Amino acid sequence: MTAQLNRAPRRIAALLAVTAIGLGAAACSSSSDDKAAGTNDSSTAASSDGAASGKSTADGSDSSSGSDGSGSGGTAVNGGTKAPGGSSSTGGNGGAAAGAASSRCHTTDLKAAFATGGDAVPNMKSDEQTQASVAFTNIGKGTCTLTGFPGVDMVGNQASDGTWSLERSSKKGTTISLSPGDTTDFTITLGATTETGSGTFEPGLVRITPPNEKSQFSLKWPFGGVITKQDGATHSATYVNPIGS
């Protein structure tokens, strides 16, 4: 079945410009690797043997999501990677159950990248909410489905930033079926700000976990700018939207 890409035609042009990534297996990254400013474009990969800790949940509840982080292209990493300051970043075990477990997309079936074309680029030089788009492409040999919320953890560049596990929006997701080579996306709503210093968060790495998975993609934040730091807020201006949003 052909993948459904919401918000066309904006998404069509944007997804053509996503940055390609590789899915190489390697050792799990340490806490020092999470410092965004010094992280390489590709991070390490490892299989996880337990549920990730933190705010994220593997079911479809409306609690906060988790994520993974790194750059213009990314590789899968274990959901238990430690964040700066010794705190454990969440595995971002994303969203709602995706139909039959045997047919859902696993991390190894996918590649992930930020959409960087046209109006898919967030306006980080404003004091208003803006959106970044992340594309998932099926690189497997068979059709699989995605539904619900990915986990999204942002690791900041500033010493005071730490790791921020984004909350989920109230939007309802739809099940997206991806044939080999098909692409879908989701958005991250960002509370951009032109302020500097205390009370701001400067994204450096973004860790993204597909729904119901534990292994993450590590993507380097390519857009610069800062957002208002509201990692402890009940209703933050920065949050993750479901697949297909």
Side-chain angles (χ1 to χ4, degrees), residues 56-74:
S56 303
T57 59
D59 58 20
S61 64
D62 288 335
S63 61
S64 66
S65 66
S67 141
D68 44 10
S70 168
S72 46

Side-chain angles (χ1 to χ4, degrees), residues 11-38:
R11 282 292 164 253
I12 295 175
L15 295 178
L16 292 177
V18 296
T19 309
I21 66 166
L23 290 174
C28 182
S29 56
S30 67
S31 60
S32 61
D33 294 331
D34 286 342
K35 294 179 181 177

Side-chain angles (χ1 to χ4, degrees), residues 19 31 39 57 68 154 162 202 219 231:
T19 309
S31 60
T39 304
T57 59
D68 44 10
M154 295 192 302
E202 181 181 339
L219 305 179
D231 50 342

Side-chain angles (χ1 to χ4, degrees), residues 10 80 114 151:
R10 181 171 85 88
F114 282 105

Side-chain angles (χ1 to χ4, degrees), residues 65-234:
S65 66
S67 141
D68 44 10
S70 168
S72 46
T75 55
V77 297
N78 180 39
T81 304
K82 287 195 174 182
S87 61
S88 179
S89 70
T90 69
N93 300 325
S102 61
S103 65
R104 83 169 188 267
C105 298
H106 299 287
T107 305
T108 52
D109 298 321
L110 302 167
K111 71 176 181 180
F114 282 105
T116 57
D119 60 356
V121 177
N123 180 11
M124 299 302 295
K125 297 180 179 180
S126 72
D127 290 300
E128 299 179 353
Q129 283 184 312
T130 185
Q131 287 189 328
S133 177
V134 179
F136 283 130
T137 301
N138 181 1
I139 60 172
K141 296 181 179 179
T143 299
C144 62
T145 60
L146 285 169
T147 189
F149 290 82
V152 177
D153 294 331
M154 295 192 302
V155 182
N157 281 327
Q158 302 173 129
S160 61
D161 287 340
T163 298
W164 183 354
S165 298
L166 300 191
E167 302 290 329
R168 297 170 181 169
S169 73
S170 60
K171 294 181 179 180
K172 301 297 182 183
T174 58
T175 298
I176 305 295
S177 181
L178 296 177
S179 297
D182 282 351
T183 297
T184 189
D185 67 346
F186 72 94
T187 58
I188 302 171
T189 298
L190 302 153
T193 180
T194 56
E195 296 182 7
T196 59
S198 178
T200 66
F201 186 101
E202 181 181 339
L205 305 177
V206 183
R207 297 196 180 115
I208 297 170
T209 311
N212 297 294
E213 289 293 292
K214 297 174 184 176
S215 296
Q216 304 172 323
F217 294 101
S218 184
L219 305 179
K220 185 176 291 184
W221 179 253
F223 306 117
V226 296
I227 56 179
T228 302
K229 188 173 184 181
Q230 297 176 312
D231 50 342
T234 302

